Amino acid sequence: MIDLDEQHHQPAQSGSTTADRLLTVRLVAAFVVGAVLGGLAVGEWRDSRAERERNAVVALVALPVSANLGGSSAQGSVELSGQLTLINTGPAPVTVRQVHAERPGVVVRSTGEGPMLPPGGARQLLVELNFECAIAFQPEPLSIRFSVESGDKQVREIGYPVALVGSDWERDARSMCAPHA
């Protein structure tokens, strides 16, 4: 402030203006740093979320391969050991824990824990098959249930329809059913 009545004209103290500017610069710098760090944190969170979502996806294809690994037949039913080819069509590795299917005339179950399947990988799983010769081979697909551990370490249940008619399982079971028909 300048007093016009006084002979010695001196400006008011400019130290407070410098302090105000310094405080403003610090606040702007803190805001910029906060925005940058916040942006990085949001980016990391999005990446982490996308990876969790990717690891949660489970997609399997199942194909009956053979059932001629030994078996027995008695009183109109056949018990066989067979193989089921599993293909991981999902984006993350999965471990097959258990396989099970059941409908009138058909029971399929895994004999132990299955393989770890990398994305795009295929493995064979040993299964036990039980068919009642008279009613087992219906035209509807058999819904096979899989218990799998996904990439995010969660156990999930999924299903996949498998056509028995025309499969190796049907051929091998029918050849053992024929002598008892």
Side-chain angles (χ1 to χ4, degrees):
M1 180 180 295
I2 301 175
D3 186 3
L4 297 176
D5 291 337
E6 219 175 90
Q7 296 297 333
H8 301 291
H9 299 287
Q10 290 185 353
Q13 292 233 349
S14 64
S16 64
T17 309
T18 304
D20 288 346
R21 283 186 190 155
L22 186 56
L23 180 60
T24 302
V25 168
R26 286 182 180 166
L27 287 174
V28 168
F31 176 76
V32 169
V33 168
V36 168
L37 290 177
L40 291 174
V42 167
E44 288 293 321
W45 176 78
R46 284 184 185 156
D47 291 347
S48 174
R49 181 175 162 198
E51 184 172 340
R52 281 192 312 271
E53 287 173 359
R54 182 182 66 84
N55 285 335
V57 173
V58 176
L60 291 177
V61 173
L63 305 167
V65 180
S66 69
N68 59 1
L69 302 175
S72 63
S73 63
Q75 300 174 354
S77 68
V78 175
E79 291 183 9
L80 297 166
S81 292
Q83 290 182 328
L84 182 65
T85 296
L86 302 175
I87 304 166
N88 181 1
T89 58
V94 295
T95 300
V96 178
R97 297 290 180 208
Q98 184 178 13
V99 174
H100 182 79
E102 191 168 345
R103 75 172 183 206
V106 180
V107 176
V108 177
R109 66 181 165 273
S110 54
T111 60
E113 189 170 300
M116 191 282 292
L117 295 166
R123 302 278 192 280
Q124 294 198 352
L125 178 67
L126 191 60
V127 292
E128 294 176 351
L129 310 165
N130 188 314
F131 299 106
E132 289 183 38
C133 297
I135 62 171
F137 302 103
Q138 304 300 318
E140 301 86 29
L142 176 65
S143 179
I144 296 183
R145 304 292 303 161
F146 299 93
S147 175
V148 297
E149 183 179 320
S150 55
D152 62 356
K153 303 297 182 201
Q154 298 295 313
V155 176
R156 292 178 169 71
E157 299 289 327
I158 63 168
Y160 188 82
V162 172
L164 290 180
V165 175
S167 72
D168 289 345
W169 290 359
E170 178 192 33
R171 183 197 67 231
D172 294 338
R174 283 194 188 271
S175 71
M176 291 183 72
C177 285
H180 298 285

